[in-house]
Coordinates of all heavy atoms in Angstrom, one line a residue:
M1 N 11.6 -71.9 24.7 CA 12.4 -70.8 24.2 C 11.9 -69.5 24.9 O 10.8 -69.2 25.0 CB 12.1 -70.7 22.7 CG 12.8 -69.6 22.1 SD 12.3 -69.3 20.4 CE 13.6 -70.0 19.5
K2 N 12.9 -68.8 25.3 CA 12.7 -67.5 26.0 C 12.4 -66.4 25.0 O 13.1 -66.3 24.0 CB 13.8 -67.1 26.9 CG 13.9 -67.9 28.2 CD 15.0 -67.3 29.1 CE 15.0 -68.0 30.4 NZ 16.0 -67.5 31.3
A3 N 11.5 -65.5 25.4 CA 11.2 -64.4 24.5 C 12.3 -63.3 24.8 O 12.8 -63.2 26.0 CB 9.9 -63.8 24.8
K4 N 12.7 -62.7 23.8 CA 13.7 -61.6 23.9 C 13.1 -60.4 24.6 O 11.9 -60.0 24.3 CB 14.3 -61.2 22.6 CG 15.1 -62.2 21.9 CD 15.7 -61.7 20.6 CE 16.5 -62.7 20.0 NZ 17.1 -62.2 18.7
S5 N 13.8 -59.8 25.6 CA 13.3 -58.6 26.2 C 13.5 -57.4 25.3 O 14.4 -57.3 24.6 CB 13.9 -58.4 27.6 OG 15.3 -58.2 27.4
A6 N 12.5 -56.5 25.4 CA 12.6 -55.3 24.5 C 13.8 -54.5 25.0 O 14.1 -54.3 26.2 CB 11.3 -54.5 24.6
S7 N 14.6 -53.9 24.1 CA 15.7 -53.1 24.4 C 15.2 -51.8 25.0 O 14.2 -51.3 24.6 CB 16.6 -52.9 23.2 OG 15.9 -52.2 22.3
R8 N 15.9 -51.3 26.0 CA 15.5 -50.1 26.7 C 16.2 -48.9 26.1 O 17.4 -49.0 25.9 CB 15.7 -50.2 28.2 CG 14.9 -51.3 28.8 CD 14.8 -51.1 30.3 NE 14.1 -49.9 30.6 CZ 13.0 -49.9 31.3 NH1 12.4 -51.0 31.7 NH2 12.4 -48.7 31.6
I9 N 15.5 -47.9 25.8 CA 16.1 -46.7 25.3 C 16.5 -45.8 26.5 O 15.8 -45.6 27.4 CB 15.1 -45.9 24.4 CG1 14.8 -46.8 23.2 CG2 15.7 -44.6 23.9 CD1 13.7 -46.2 22.3
S10 N 17.7 -45.2 26.4 CA 18.1 -44.3 27.4 C 17.2 -43.1 27.4 O 16.7 -42.6 26.4 CB 19.5 -43.8 27.2 OG 20.4 -44.9 27.3
T11 N 16.9 -42.6 28.6 CA 16.0 -41.4 28.7 C 16.7 -40.3 29.5 O 17.7 -40.6 30.2 CB 14.7 -41.8 29.4 OG1 14.9 -42.3 30.7 CG2 13.9 -42.9 28.6
A12 N 16.1 -39.2 29.4 CA 16.6 -38.0 30.2 C 15.3 -37.3 30.7 O 14.3 -37.4 30.2 CB 17.4 -37.1 29.3
I13 N 15.5 -36.5 31.8 CA 14.4 -35.7 32.3 C 14.5 -34.3 31.7 O 15.5 -33.7 31.6 CB 14.6 -35.6 33.9 CG1 14.4 -37.0 34.5 CG2 13.6 -34.7 34.4 CD1 14.7 -37.1 36.0
L14 N 13.3 -33.9 31.3 CA 13.2 -32.5 30.7 C 12.1 -31.8 31.5 O 11.0 -32.3 31.6 CB 12.8 -32.6 29.2 CG 12.4 -31.3 28.5 CD1 13.7 -30.5 28.4 CD2 11.9 -31.6 27.1
T15 N 12.4 -30.7 32.0 CA 11.4 -29.9 32.8 C 11.0 -28.8 32.0 O 11.8 -28.0 31.4 CB 12.1 -29.4 34.1 OG1 12.6 -30.6 34.9 CG2 11.0 -28.7 35.0
V16 N 9.7 -28.6 31.8 CA 9.1 -27.5 31.1 C 8.0 -26.8 31.9 O 7.4 -27.4 32.7 CB 8.6 -27.9 29.7 CG1 9.7 -28.5 28.8 CG2 7.5 -28.9 29.9
R17 N 7.9 -25.5 31.7 CA 6.8 -24.8 32.3 C 5.7 -24.7 31.3 O 5.9 -24.4 30.1 CB 7.2 -23.4 32.7 CG 8.2 -23.4 33.8 CD 8.4 -22.0 34.4 NE 9.2 -22.0 35.5 CZ 8.8 -22.2 36.8 NH1 7.6 -22.5 37.0 NH2 9.7 -22.2 37.8
I18 N 4.5 -25.1 31.7 CA 3.3 -25.0 30.8 C 2.2 -24.2 31.5 O 2.1 -24.2 32.7 CB 2.8 -26.4 30.4 CG1 2.4 -27.2 31.6 CG2 3.9 -27.2 29.6 CD1 1.7 -28.5 31.2
P19 N 1.3 -23.6 30.7 CA 0.2 -22.9 31.3 C -0.7 -23.8 32.1 O -0.9 -25.0 31.7 CB -0.5 -22.3 30.1 CG 0.5 -22.3 29.0 CD 1.4 -23.5 29.3
I20 N -1.2 -23.4 33.2 CA -2.1 -24.2 34.1 C -3.3 -24.8 33.2 O -3.6 -25.9 33.4 CB -2.7 -23.3 35.2 CG1 -1.5 -22.9 36.1 CG2 -3.7 -24.1 36.0 CD1 -0.8 -24.0 36.9
P21 N -3.9 -24.0 32.4 CA -5.0 -24.6 31.6 C -4.6 -25.8 30.7 O -5.3 -26.8 30.6 CB -5.5 -23.4 30.7 CG -5.2 -22.2 31.4 CD -3.8 -22.5 32.1
L22 N -3.4 -25.7 30.2 CA -2.9 -26.8 29.4 C -2.6 -28.0 30.3 O -2.9 -29.2 29.9 CB -1.6 -26.4 28.7 CG -0.9 -27.5 27.8 CD1 -1.9 -28.1 26.8 CD2 0.3 -27.0 27.1
K23 N -2.1 -27.8 31.5 CA -1.8 -28.9 32.5 C -3.2 -29.6 32.8 O -3.2 -30.8 32.9 CB -1.2 -28.3 33.7 CG -0.9 -29.4 34.7 CD -0.1 -28.9 35.9 CE 0.2 -30.0 36.9 NZ -0.7 -30.1 38.0
R24 N -4.2 -28.8 33.0 CA -5.5 -29.3 33.3 C -6.0 -30.2 32.2 O -6.6 -31.2 32.4 CB -6.5 -28.2 33.7 CG -6.2 -27.6 35.1 CD -7.2 -26.6 35.5 NE -6.8 -26.0 36.7 CZ -6.8 -24.7 37.0 NH1 -7.2 -23.8 36.0 NH2 -6.4 -24.2 38.1
R25 N -5.8 -29.7 31.0 CA -6.3 -30.4 29.8 C -5.5 -31.8 29.7 O -6.1 -32.8 29.4 CB -6.1 -29.6 28.5 CG -7.0 -28.4 28.4 CD -6.7 -27.5 27.3 NE -6.7 -28.2 26.0 CZ -6.1 -27.7 24.9 NH1 -5.4 -26.6 24.9 NH2 -6.1 -28.4 23.8
L26 N -4.2 -31.7 30.0 CA -3.4 -32.9 29.9 C -3.9 -33.9 31.0 O -4.0 -35.1 30.7 CB -1.9 -32.6 30.1 CG -1.0 -33.8 30.0 CD1 -1.0 -34.4 28.7 CD2 0.5 -33.3 30.3
E27 N -4.2 -33.4 32.2 CA -4.7 -34.3 33.3 C -6.0 -34.9 32.9 O -6.3 -36.1 33.1 CB -4.8 -33.5 34.6 CG -3.5 -33.1 35.2 CD -3.6 -32.1 36.3 OE1 -4.6 -31.4 36.4 OE2 -2.6 -32.0 37.0
G28 N -6.9 -34.1 32.2 CA -8.2 -34.6 31.8 C -8.0 -35.7 30.8 O -8.7 -36.7 30.8
L29 N -7.1 -35.5 29.8 CA -6.9 -36.5 28.8 C -6.3 -37.7 29.4 O -6.7 -38.8 29.0 CB -5.9 -35.9 27.8 CG -5.7 -36.7 26.5 CD1 -7.0 -37.0 25.7 CD2 -4.7 -36.0 25.6
S30 N -5.4 -37.6 30.4 CA -4.8 -38.7 31.1 C -5.9 -39.6 31.8 O -5.9 -40.8 31.6 CB -3.8 -38.2 32.1 OG -3.3 -39.3 32.9
K31 N -6.9 -38.9 32.4 CA -8.0 -39.6 33.1 C -8.9 -40.3 32.0 O -9.2 -41.5 32.2 CB -8.8 -38.7 33.9 CG -8.1 -38.3 35.2 CD -8.9 -37.3 36.0 CE -8.1 -36.8 37.1 NZ -8.7 -35.7 37.8
T32 N -9.2 -39.6 31.0 CA -10.1 -40.1 30.0 C -9.5 -41.4 29.2 O -10.2 -42.3 28.9 CB -10.4 -39.1 28.9 OG1 -11.0 -38.0 29.6 CG2 -11.3 -39.6 27.8
T33 N -8.2 -41.3 29.0 CA -7.5 -42.4 28.2 C -6.9 -43.4 29.1 O -6.3 -44.4 28.6 CB -6.5 -41.8 27.3 OG1 -5.4 -41.1 28.1 CG2 -7.1 -40.8 26.3
A34 N -6.9 -43.2 30.4 CA -6.2 -44.1 31.4 C -4.7 -44.3 31.1 O -4.2 -45.3 31.2 CB -6.9 -45.4 31.4
R35 N -4.1 -43.2 30.6 CA -2.7 -43.2 30.3 C -2.0 -42.1 31.1 O -2.6 -41.0 31.4 CB -2.4 -42.9 28.8 CG -3.1 -44.1 28.0 CD -3.2 -43.8 26.6 NE -1.9 -43.9 26.0 CZ -1.6 -43.3 24.8 NH1 -2.5 -42.6 24.2 NH2 -0.4 -43.4 24.3
N36 N -0.8 -42.3 31.5 CA -0.2 -41.2 32.4 C 0.2 -40.0 31.6 O 0.5 -40.1 30.4 CB 1.0 -41.8 33.3 CG 2.2 -42.2 32.5 OD1 2.6 -41.4 31.7 ND2 2.8 -43.3 32.7
R37 N 0.3 -38.9 32.3 CA 0.7 -37.6 31.7 C 2.0 -37.6 31.0 O 2.2 -37.0 30.0 CB 0.7 -36.5 32.8 CG -0.7 -36.2 33.3 CD -0.6 -35.1 34.3 NE 0.4 -35.5 35.4 CZ 0.7 -34.8 36.4 NH1 0.1 -33.6 36.6 NH2 1.6 -35.2 37.3
S38 N 3.0 -38.3 31.6 CA 4.3 -38.3 31.0 C 4.3 -39.0 29.7 O 4.9 -38.5 28.7 CB 5.3 -39.1 31.9 OG 5.5 -38.3 33.1
R39 N 3.5 -40.1 29.6 CA 3.4 -40.8 28.3 C 2.8 -39.9 27.2 O 3.2 -39.8 26.1 CB 2.7 -42.1 28.5 CG 2.4 -42.9 27.2 CD 3.5 -42.9 26.3 NE 4.3 -44.1 26.3 CZ 5.4 -44.3 25.6 NH1 5.9 -43.3 24.9 NH2 6.0 -45.4 25.6
L40 N 1.7 -39.3 27.6 CA 1.0 -38.4 26.7 C 1.8 -37.2 26.3 O 1.9 -36.9 25.1 CB -0.3 -37.8 27.3 CG -1.4 -38.9 27.6 CD1 -2.5 -38.3 28.4 CD2 -1.9 -39.5 26.3
A41 N 2.6 -36.6 27.2 CA 3.5 -35.5 26.8 C 4.6 -36.0 25.9 O 4.9 -35.3 25.0 CB 4.0 -34.9 28.1
L42 N 5.1 -37.2 26.2 CA 6.2 -37.7 25.3 C 5.7 -38.0 23.9 O 6.3 -37.6 22.9 CB 6.7 -39.0 25.9 CG 7.7 -39.8 25.1 CD1 8.9 -39.0 24.8 CD2 8.0 -41.2 25.7
E43 N 4.5 -38.5 23.8 CA 3.9 -38.8 22.5 C 3.7 -37.4 21.7 O 3.9 -37.4 20.5 CB 2.6 -39.6 22.6 CG 2.8 -41.0 23.0 CD 1.5 -41.8 23.3 OE1 0.5 -41.2 23.1 OE2 1.6 -42.9 23.6
A44 N 3.2 -36.4 22.4 CA 2.9 -35.1 21.8 C 4.3 -34.5 21.4 O 4.3 -34.0 20.2 CB 2.2 -34.2 22.8
L45 N 5.3 -34.6 22.2 CA 6.6 -34.1 21.8 C 7.2 -34.8 20.6 O 7.7 -34.2 19.7 CB 7.5 -34.1 23.0 CG 8.8 -33.3 23.0 CD1 8.6 -31.9 22.6 CD2 9.5 -33.4 24.3
E46 N 7.1 -36.1 20.7 CA 7.6 -36.9 19.5 C 6.9 -36.5 18.2 O 7.5 -36.3 17.2 CB 7.4 -38.4 19.8 CG 8.4 -39.0 20.8 CD 8.1 -40.4 21.1 OE1 6.9 -40.9 21.0 OE2 9.1 -41.1 21.5
S47 N 5.6 -36.4 18.3 CA 4.8 -36.0 17.1 C 5.2 -34.6 16.6 O 5.4 -34.4 15.4 CB 3.3 -36.0 17.5 OG 2.6 -35.7 16.4
Y48 N 5.4 -33.7 17.5 CA 5.7 -32.3 17.1 C 7.1 -32.3 16.5 O 7.3 -31.7 15.4 CB 5.7 -31.4 18.4 CG 6.2 -30.0 18.0 CD1 5.3 -29.1 17.4 CD2 7.5 -29.6 18.3 CE1 5.7 -27.8 17.1 CE2 7.9 -28.3 18.0 CZ 7.0 -27.4 17.4 OH 7.5 -26.2 17.1
V49 N 8.1 -32.9 17.1 CA 9.4 -32.9 16.6 C 9.5 -33.6 15.2 O 10.1 -33.0 14.3 CB 10.4 -33.6 17.5 CG1 11.8 -33.8 16.9 CG2 10.6 -32.7 18.8
E50 N 8.8 -34.7 15.0 CA 8.7 -35.4 13.7 C 8.1 -34.5 12.7 O 8.6 -34.3 11.6 CB 8.0 -36.7 13.8 CG 8.0 -37.5 12.6 CD 7.3 -38.8 12.7 OE1 7.4 -39.4 13.8 OE2 6.7 -39.3 11.7
E51 N 7.0 -33.8 13.0 CA 6.3 -32.9 12.1 C 7.2 -31.8 11.7 O 7.3 -31.4 10.5 CB 5.1 -32.4 12.8 CG 4.2 -31.4 12.0 CD 3.0 -30.9 12.7 OE1 2.2 -31.7 13.1 OE2 2.9 -29.7 12.9
Q52 N 7.9 -31.2 12.6 CA 8.8 -30.1 12.3 C 10.0 -30.5 11.5 O 10.4 -29.8 10.5 CB 9.3 -29.4 13.6 CG 8.2 -28.7 14.4 CD 7.5 -27.7 13.6 OE1 8.1 -26.8 13.0 NE2 6.2 -27.8 13.5
E53 N 10.6 -31.7 11.8 CA 11.7 -32.2 11.0 C 11.2 -32.4 9.5 O 11.9 -32.1 8.6 CB 12.2 -33.5 11.6 CG 13.0 -33.3 12.8 CD 13.3 -34.6 13.5 OE1 12.7 -35.6 13.3 OE2 14.3 -34.6 14.3
T54 N 10.0 -33.0 9.4 CA 9.5 -33.2 8.0 C 9.2 -31.9 7.3 O 9.6 -31.8 6.1 CB 8.2 -34.0 8.1 OG1 8.4 -35.3 8.7 CG2 7.5 -34.3 6.7
R55 N 8.7 -31.0 8.0 CA 8.4 -29.7 7.4 C 9.7 -29.0 6.9 O 9.8 -28.5 5.8 CB 7.7 -28.8 8.4 CG 7.2 -27.4 7.8 CD 6.4 -26.6 8.8 NE 7.2 -26.2 9.9 CZ 8.0 -25.0 9.9 NH1 8.0 -24.3 8.9 NH2 8.7 -24.7 11.0
L56 N 10.7 -29.0 7.7 CA 12.0 -28.4 7.4 C 12.6 -29.1 6.2 O 13.3 -28.5 5.3 CB 12.9 -28.3 8.6 CG 12.4 -27.3 9.7 CD1 13.3 -27.5 10.9 CD2 12.4 -25.9 9.2
A57 N 12.5 -30.5 6.2 CA 13.1 -31.2 5.1 C 12.4 -30.9 3.8 O 13.0 -30.8 2.7 CB 13.0 -32.7 5.4
K58 N 11.1 -30.7 3.8 CA 10.3 -30.3 2.6 C 10.7 -28.9 2.1 O 10.8 -28.7 0.9 CB 8.8 -30.4 2.9 CG 8.3 -31.8 3.1 CD 8.3 -32.6 1.8 CE 7.7 -33.9 2.0 NZ 7.8 -34.8 0.8
I59 N 11.0 -28.0 3.1 CA 11.4 -26.7 2.7 C 12.8 -26.8 2.0 O 13.0 -26.2 1.0 CB 11.5 -25.7 3.9 CG1 10.0 -25.4 4.4 CG2 12.3 -24.5 3.6 CD1 10.0 -24.7 5.8
D60 N 13.7 -27.5 2.6 CA 15.0 -27.7 2.0 C 14.9 -28.3 0.6 O 15.6 -27.9 -0.3 CB 15.9 -28.6 2.9 CG 16.4 -27.9 4.1 OD1 16.3 -26.6 4.2 OD2 16.8 -28.6 5.1
E61 N 14.0 -29.3 0.4 CA 13.8 -29.9 -0.9 C 13.3 -28.9 -1.9 O 13.7 -28.9 -3.0 CB 12.8 -31.1 -0.7 CG 12.5 -31.8 -2.0 CD 11.4 -32.9 -1.9 OE1 10.8 -33.0 -0.8 OE2 11.2 -33.6 -2.8
G62 N 12.4 -28.0 -1.5 CA 11.8 -27.0 -2.3 C 12.9 -26.0 -2.7 O 12.9 -25.6 -3.9
I63 N 13.8 -25.7 -1.8 CA 14.9 -24.7 -2.1 C 15.8 -25.4 -3.1 O 16.2 -24.7 -4.1 CB 15.6 -24.3 -0.8 CG1 14.7 -23.4 0.0 CG2 16.9 -23.6 -1.2 CD1 15.2 -23.1 1.4
R64 N 16.1 -26.7 -2.9 CA 17.0 -27.4 -3.9 C 16.3 -27.4 -5.3 O 17.0 -27.2 -6.3 CB 17.4 -28.8 -3.4 CG 18.4 -28.8 -2.3 CD 18.9 -30.2 -2.0 NE 17.9 -31.1 -1.7 CZ 17.3 -31.3 -0.5 NH1 17.7 -30.6 0.5 NH2 16.4 -32.2 -0.3
D65 N 15.0 -27.7 -5.3 CA 14.3 -27.7 -6.6 C 14.4 -26.4 -7.3 O 14.6 -26.3 -8.5 CB 12.8 -28.1 -6.4 CG 12.7 -29.6 -6.2 OD1 13.6 -30.4 -6.5 OD2 11.6 -30.0 -5.7
A66 N 14.1 -25.3 -6.5 CA 14.2 -24.0 -7.1 C 15.6 -23.6 -7.6 O 15.7 -23.1 -8.7 CB 13.7 -22.9 -6.1
D67 N 16.6 -24.0 -6.8 CA 17.9 -23.7 -7.2 C 18.3 -24.5 -8.5 O 19.1 -24.0 -9.3 CB 18.9 -24.1 -6.1 CG 18.9 -23.1 -4.9 OD1 18.3 -22.0 -5.1 OD2 19.5 -23.5 -3.9
A68 N 17.7 -25.6 -8.7 CA 17.9 -26.5 -9.9 C 17.0 -26.1 -11.1 O 17.1 -26.7 -12.1 CB 17.8 -27.9 -9.6
G69 N 16.2 -25.1 -10.8 CA 15.3 -24.6 -11.9 C 14.0 -25.4 -12.1 O 13.3 -25.2 -13.1
R70 N 13.7 -26.3 -11.1 CA 12.5 -27.1 -11.2 C 11.4 -26.3 -10.6 O 11.0 -26.5 -9.4 CB 12.7 -28.5 -10.5 CG 13.7 -29.4 -11.2 CD 13.8 -30.7 -10.6 NE 14.3 -30.7 -9.3 CZ 15.6 -30.8 -8.9 NH1 16.5 -31.0 -9.9 NH2 16.0 -30.8 -7.7
V71 N 10.8 -25.4 -11.3 CA 9.8 -24.5 -10.8 C 8.7 -24.3 -11.9 O 8.8 -24.7 -13.0 CB 10.4 -23.1 -10.5 CG1 11.4 -23.2 -9.4 CG2 11.0 -22.5 -11.7
V72 N 7.6 -23.8 -11.5 CA 6.5 -23.4 -12.4 C 6.3 -21.9 -12.3 O 6.1 -21.4 -11.2 CB 5.2 -24.2 -12.0 CG1 4.0 -23.8 -12.9 CG2 5.4 -25.7 -12.0
P73 N 6.3 -21.2 -13.4 CA 6.1 -19.8 -13.3 C 4.8 -19.4 -12.7 O 3.8 -20.1 -12.8 CB 6.1 -19.4 -14.8 CG 6.9 -20.4 -15.5 CD 6.6 -21.7 -14.7
H74 N 4.8 -18.3 -11.9 CA 3.7 -17.8 -11.2 C 2.4 -17.7 -12.1 O 1.3 -18.1 -11.7 CB 4.0 -16.5 -10.5 CG 2.8 -15.8 -9.9 ND1 2.3 -16.2 -8.7 CD2 2.0 -14.8 -10.3 CE1 1.3 -15.5 -8.3 NE2 1.1 -14.6 -9.3
E75 N 2.6 -17.1 -13.2 CA 1.4 -16.9 -14.1 C 0.7 -18.2 -14.5 O -0.5 -18.2 -14.6 CB 1.8 -16.0 -15.3 CG 2.0 -14.6 -15.0 CD 0.8 -13.9 -14.4 OE1 -0.3 -14.1 -14.8 OE2 1.0 -13.1 -13.4
E76 N 1.5 -19.2 -14.7 CA 0.9 -20.5 -15.1 C 0.2 -21.1 -13.9 O -0.9 -21.7 -14.1 CB 2.0 -21.5 -15.6 CG 2.6 -21.1 -16.9 CD 3.6 -22.1 -17.4 OE1 3.5 -23.3 -17.1 OE2 4.6 -21.6 -18.0
V77 N 0.7 -21.0 -12.7 CA 0.0 -21.5 -11.5 C -1.3 -20.7 -11.3 O -2.3 -21.3 -11.0 CB 0.9 -21.4 -10.3 CG1 0.2 -21.8 -9.0 CG2 2.1 -22.3 -10.5
K78 N -1.2 -19.4 -11.4 CA -2.4 -18.5 -11.3 C -3.5 -18.9 -12.2 O -4.6 -19.0 -11.8 CB -1.9 -17.1 -11.4 CG -3.0 -16.1 -11.2 CD -2.5 -14.7 -11.4 CE -3.6 -13.6 -11.3 NZ -3.0 -12.3 -11.5
R79 N -3.1 -19.1 -13.5 CA -4.1 -19.4 -14.5 C -4.7 -20.8 -14.2 O -5.9 -21.0 -14.3 CB -3.4 -19.5 -15.9 CG -4.3 -19.4 -17.1 CD -3.6 -19.2 -18.4 NE -2.2 -19.6 -18.5 CZ -1.1 -18.8 -18.5 NH1 -1.3 -17.5 -18.3 NH2 0.1 -19.2 -18.6
Y80 N -3.9 -21.7 -13.7 CA -4.4 -23.1 -13.4 C -5.4 -23.0 -12.2 O -6.5 -23.5 -12.2 CB -3.2 -24.0 -13.0 CG -3.6 -25.3 -12.3 CD1 -4.4 -26.2 -12.9 CD2 -3.2 -25.5 -11.0 CE1 -4.7 -27.4 -12.3 CE2 -3.5 -26.7 -10.4 CZ -4.3 -27.7 -11.0 OH -4.6 -28.8 -10.4
L81 N -5.0 -22.3 -11.1 CA -5.9 -22.1 -9.9 C -7.2 -21.4 -10.3 O -8.2 -21.7 -9.7 CB -5.1 -21.4 -8.8 CG -3.9 -22.2 -8.2 CD1 -3.2 -21.4 -7.2 CD2 -4.4 -23.5 -7.6
Q82 N -7.1 -20.4 -11.1 CA -8.3 -19.7 -11.5 C -9.3 -20.5 -12.3 O -10.5 -20.2 -12.4 CB -7.9 -18.4 -12.3 CG -7.3 -17.3 -11.4 CD -6.8 -16.1 -12.1 OE1 -6.5 -16.2 -13.3 NE2 -6.7 -15.0 -11.4
S83 N -8.8 -21.6 -12.9 CA -9.7 -22.5 -13.6 C -10.5 -23.4 -12.8 O -11.4 -24.1 -13.2 CB -8.8 -23.3 -14.7 OG -8.1 -24.4 -14.1
W84 N -10.1 -23.6 -11.5 CA -10.8 -24.5 -10.6 C -12.2 -24.0 -10.4 O -12.5 -22.8 -10.3 CB -10.1 -24.5 -9.2 CG -8.8 -25.2 -9.2 CD1 -8.1 -25.7 -10.2 CD2 -8.1 -25.6 -8.0 NE1 -6.9 -26.2 -9.8 CE2 -6.9 -26.2 -8.4 CE3 -8.3 -25.4 -6.7 CZ2 -6.0 -26.7 -7.5 CZ3 -7.4 -25.9 -5.8 CH2 -6.2 -26.5 -6.2
G85 N -13.1 -24.9 -10.4 CA -14.5 -24.6 -10.3 C -15.2 -24.2 -11.6 O -16.4 -23.9 -11.6
S86 N -14.4 -24.1 -12.6 CA -15.0 -23.7 -13.9 C -15.3 -24.9 -14.7 O -14.9 -26.0 -14.4 CB -14.1 -22.8 -14.7 OG -13.0 -23.5 -15.2
K87 N -16.0 -24.7 -15.8 CA -16.3 -25.9 -16.7 C -15.1 -26.3 -17.5 O -15.1 -27.4 -18.0 CB -17.5 -25.5 -17.7 CG -18.8 -25.3 -17.0 CD -19.9 -24.9 -18.0 CE -21.2 -24.7 -17.2 NZ -22.3 -24.3 -18.1
R88 N -14.1 -25.5 -17.6 CA -12.9 -25.8 -18.3 C -11.7 -25.8 -17.4 O -10.7 -25.0 -17.6 CB -12.8 -24.8 -19.5 CG -13.9 -24.8 -20.4 CD -13.6 -24.0 -21.7 NE -12.4 -24.6 -22.3 CZ -12.2 -24.8 -23.5 NH1 -13.1 -24.3 -24.4 NH2 -11.1 -25.3 -24.0
K89 N -11.7 -26.7 -16.4 CA -10.5 -26.7 -15.5 C -9.3 -27.2 -16.3 O -9.3 -28.1 -17.1 CB -10.8 -27.7 -14.4 CG -9.6 -27.8 -13.4 CD -9.9 -28.8 -12.3 CE -8.7 -28.9 -11.4 NZ -8.8 -29.9 -10.4
L90 N -8.2 -26.4 -16.1 CA -7.0 -26.7 -16.9 C -6.2 -27.8 -16.1 O -6.3 -28.0 -14.9 CB -6.1 -25.5 -16.9 CG -6.7 -24.3 -17.6 CD1 -5.8 -23.0 -17.4 CD2 -6.8 -24.6 -19.1
P91 N -5.3 -28.5 -16.9 CA -4.5 -29.5 -16.2 C -3.4 -28.8 -15.5 O -3.0 -27.7 -15.8 CB -3.9 -30.3 -17.4 CG -4.0 -29.4 -18.6 CD -5.2 -28.5 -18.3
P92 N -2.8 -29.4 -14.5 CA -1.7 -28.8 -13.7 C -0.5 -28.5 -14.6 O -0.2 -29.3 -15.5 CB -1.3 -29.8 -12.7 CG -2.3 -30.9 -12.7 CD -3.1 -30.8 -14.0
P93 N 0.0 -27.3 -14.4 CA 1.2 -26.9 -15.3 C 2.4 -27.8 -14.9 O 2.6 -28.1 -13.7 CB 1.4 -25.5 -15.0 CG 0.8 -25.2 -13.7 CD -0.3 -26.2 -13.5
P94 N 3.2 -28.2 -15.9 CA 4.4 -28.9 -15.6 C 5.6 -28.1 -15.1 O 5.6 -26.9 -15.4 CB 4.8 -29.5 -17.0 CG 4.3 -28.5 -17.9 CD 3.0 -28.0 -17.3
C95 N 6.4 -28.7 -14.3 CA 7.6 -28.0 -13.9 C 8.5 -27.8 -15.1 O 8.6 -28.6 -16.0 CB 8.4 -28.8 -12.8 SG 7.6 -28.8 -11.2
K96 N 9.2 -26.7 -15.0 CA 10.2 -26.3 -16.2 C 11.6 -26.7 -15.8 O 12.0 -26.7 -14.7 CB 10.1 -24.8 -16.5 CG 8.7 -24.4 -16.7 CD 8.4 -24.1 -18.1 CE 7.0 -23.6 -18.2 NZ 6.3 -23.8 -19.3

């Protein structure tokens, strides 16, 4: 039985200007890890884009929650946070 070949993803070339010190760091990392610079740069870019997409999705979720009234009043949060480190730590306040 033949093994299926991995499907290839279409790629594009992206040219970016980076500071010389960053290029040197990337080259050093490439040598240390025995991985090529393009692969390391691709992984860093994928990680950054995923992180930003997640962050923006969380912001949108928070805005929807606030619009729907699912919030905790500032004074309740402040009272809760001020109780940290005390002998009488309060439970987290519930969303209203």
Side-chain angles (χ1 to χ4, degrees):
M1 177 190 258
K2 284 187 173 181
K4 292 183 180 178
S5 62
S7 62
R8 297 196 65 115
I9 296 174
S10 296
T11 62
I13 295 173
L14 173 66
T15 303
V16 296
R17 292 191 176 275
I18 61 172
I20 298 294
L22 180 57
K23 181 177 184 264
R24 289 184 183 134
R25 290 172 58 200
L26 184 61
E27 288 168 345
L29 188 58
S30 176
K31 289 176 186 173
T32 301
T33 62
R35 298 167 73 199
N36 71 46
R37 290 179 308 182
S38 292
R39 175 41 103 188
L40 292 173
L42 173 61
E43 289 173 1
L45 192 54
E46 285 174 335
S47 178
Y48 176 80
V49 169
E50 184 175 327
E51 181 181 299
Q52 294 302 307
E53 288 172 339
T54 299
R55 185 176 68 84
L56 292 172
K58 293 290 184 184
I59 290 170
D60 287 342
E61 180 184 6
I63 291 169
R64 285 191 304 276
D65 282 345
D67 289 346
R70 293 185 295 268
V71 296
V72 177
H74 173 77
E75 286 303 317
E76 290 181 34
V77 173
K78 182 178 174 182
R79 202 170 21 259
Y80 167 64
L81 293 176
Q82 288 174 336
S83 77
W84 288 11
S86 72
K87 292 181 181 180
R88 299 191 59 143
K89 182 179 175 189
L90 298 173
C95 287
K96 307 255 181 205

